[in-house]
Amino acid sequence: MKCILFATATLLLAFSLNLSASAHDPEKMGDMAPMGDMSKTAQKTTMLPSTNLMSGQPQKFTIQVRSANSKPINNFQIQHEKLMHLILVNSDLTSFQHVHPTYLGKGKFQVTATLPANGTYTAFVDYVPKGSTQKVEIATLKVGKTVAETILPVPDSTLSKTFGDLDISLLLDPKTVRPNQEVPITFEMKDASGKPITDLQPYLGAMGHLVIIKVAPVLTAANYLHAHPEDHDHSSGMNMSGMGSQPMDMSKMPTMGNKDSKPMDMSKMPAMGGKDGKMPAMSGMGGMSGMAMKPVPGQVTFETQFPGPGTYRLWGQFQRAGKVFTADFTISI
Ligand SMILES: [Cu+2]
């Protein structure tokens, strides 16, 4: 238990530090300016080119990761099987891409992406410098010369929708959501005959990937929430409540079972690792709630924390027959 409390305190501390760092004024950021936080503790990463981009054409982007003192960051930690995750959205949040830039060394990454239409795009650059905590920085990309008026998304009238040949429901009751408290978010997937699908494949080391963005006229790094599904094996090992019908199996708790006061090795805890507490939502991905969840056929459950009332866009990504598919929902909290 000491270990758990220690970790919680660490997460909270990291969160409060990073929150202040992310309070910046997006108005002051030029296109060529360093992206992300502009405060003292910010990284100074750039993504180029960022203006006069052509729509509908593959464009090669270079991302140079730099620390706050402008030095390139050279070493990165793999999180969810990749050194960097890049999420590209347009200002309407109708376009969503999740890509993985290739590392070229010396802090430089490269990725080719096609931005579908004229407008303003936000890139969320998500990485972990070796020995540090998760960083999320943003870049603004301008496609075309005329920028269409942004139409912000409104909440879906139903949380059951058809994606390809699947009926997917989002099992989440917004009325139960409290700010900064962990909430389970379940995607329920059924085939055309109404049967739960049973052939999901691991994607990025988990049964799914969930990106959540809080809708706003101007997006900042703080609008980016991210969650991964509960790892069932791991969450059973993390069952802190002991209230389930099964007795707690301490042998499955190599990290949590330590009774000494050693600091927790976060890298060995995928359910919490990478959750440096930069954003509360990102600290939630399984584990801390200690719920031992049994896999339910056709269901993938994520955990996250919503920072407060608002409209949120959710993109769940899953893999089946070697192909990744995306199910998106808009909810009001
Ligand atoms: Cu990714």
Side-chain angles (χ1 to χ4, degrees), residues 15 21 92 94 96 119 128-129 169 184 189 214 231 248 257 301 320 326:
F15 167 48
D92 293 350
T94 51
F96 171 87
V128 183
S169 300
M189 296 169 235
K214 187 177 187 191
D231 176 328
M248 198 188 291
T301 298
R320 204 183 173 212
T326 303

Side-chain angles (χ1 to χ4, degrees), residues 85 98-100 204 209:
H85 301 260
H98 174 182
V99 292
H100 300 110
L204 298 173
H209 202 93

